[in-house]
Amino acid sequence: MIKETLTASIADKTSVIGVIGLGYVGLPLIVEFCLKGYQGIGFEVDTRKSDAINAGESYIVDVPADNVKRCLADGKLKATTDFGDLAKCDVIIICVPTPLRKTKDPDMSYIIAAGEEIQKYMRRGQLIILESTTYPGTTDEVLQPMFEEKGFKLDEDFLLAFSPERVDPGNPQFQTHNIPKVVGGVSPDSTEVASLLYRQIVNEVHSVSSARVAEACKLWE
């Protein structure tokens, strides 16, 4: 069963964690996983960012360059613009921007683009998590059908969840590990495994009844 396999690999830190989007949400997240002993692959469309990370540099104030260098020295971190490496990941976390249009609607193009890249390279046995702020229903109405188009079935072939990014950039008092995390899956198995994942790096994790509840939580906040 996919749930048992992922639970075991997360627990023994053999899961490869992929993060799409290495901005103020994605870079601190992947570095946190790498510092805890996980193998991390960061995906970027901007070669300047991927090159900087691979050179041991940080362009995010909340991520000390020393931490990036430590992850690289330990062989735990790699940044790339090659989305083919998504096939190597057991967990894929989407941390792309969703800026508001002039009409005050969220620009979904980055989420859809990330979903399309995952769709190309996904394999059986992956947990996919969306963190980008969006409207309730995005995870199960937009992403789930994209992945099922490949013939994959939820819970049998992949797990899918939403966990809203909760970051206060530049605030030294609150970092990834001490900001409470809300997690809601499209299925109970998805909620359970995604919550287990975040508990490896976050002190306080709150599981909710569904991805839609988690999506609404961020908007209500």
Side-chain angles (χ1 to χ4, degrees):
M1 289 287 291
I2 179 175
K3 173 186 166 184
E4 286 72 21
T5 302
L6 277 166
T7 296
S9 66
I10 289 169
D12 64 19
K13 299 187 178 181
T14 56
S15 289
V16 177
I17 313 296
V19 174
I20 301 177
L22 300 177
Y24 71 92
V25 175
L27 185 58
L29 185 67
I30 195 167
V31 167
E32 198 73 40
F33 275 113
C34 292
L35 290 173
K36 288 293 191 294
Y38 290 90
Q39 192 77 35
I41 304 176
F43 297 88
E44 253 298 334
V45 293
D46 187 343
T47 55
R48 291 171 300 177
K49 289 183 178 180
S50 60
D51 288 347
I53 292 164
N54 290 329
E57 301 167 10
S58 174
Y59 44 83
I60 300 296
V61 65
D62 297 322
V63 181
D66 284 349
N67 283 352
V68 176
K69 290 173 183 173
R70 178 179 159 192
C71 294
L72 290 168
D74 291 343
K76 295 298 183 183
L77 176 63
K78 178 181 88 167
T80 183
T81 57
D82 179 7
F83 284 81
D85 280 352
L86 286 168
K88 300 176 182 177
C89 300
D90 302 292
V91 176
I92 301 171
I93 305 174
I94 303 170
C95 299
V96 297
T98 46
L100 290 178
R101 302 179 190 271
K102 290 181 180 179
T103 55
K104 302 300 182 183
D105 297 315
D107 182 349
M108 300 293 293
S109 61
Y110 297 100
I111 291 178
I112 292 170
E116 288 172 345
E117 292 293 346
I118 295 171
Q119 186 188 48
K120 286 181 197 173
Y121 302 109
M122 73 182 292
R123 56 167 172 80
R124 188 179 186 279
Q126 292 177 311
L127 164 64
I128 301 161
I129 304 171
L130 176 62
E131 286 210 3
S132 307
T133 304
T134 185
Y135 63 86
T138 301
T139 309
D140 63 326
E141 289 178 358
V142 177
L143 292 180
Q144 185 179 351
M146 292 177 72
F147 305 147
E148 289 178 341
E149 278 180 12
K150 289 198 72 171
F152 291 130
K153 291 185 178 180
L154 184 69
D155 289 344
E156 290 182 22
D157 301 308
F158 71 99
L159 299 178
L160 181 62
F162 182 85
S163 181
E165 58 88 357
R166 304 179 78 234
V167 179
D168 190 7
N171 186 339
Q173 185 178 350
F174 293 103
Q175 303 293 325
T176 301
H177 69 278
N178 65 352
I179 298 177
K181 205 88 169 81
V182 174
V183 182
V186 177
S187 67
D189 282 1
S190 300
T191 303
E192 186 177 334
V193 177
S195 297
L196 172 68
L197 175 77
Y198 284 113
R199 286 193 182 100
Q200 309 309 305
I201 63 166
V202 179
N203 298 340
E204 193 176 338
V205 176
H206 296 275
S207 302
V208 295
S209 58
S210 68
R212 289 184 179 226
V213 170
E215 289 161 340
C217 174
K218 177 59 186 289
L219 296 185
W220 184 260
E221 225 175 41

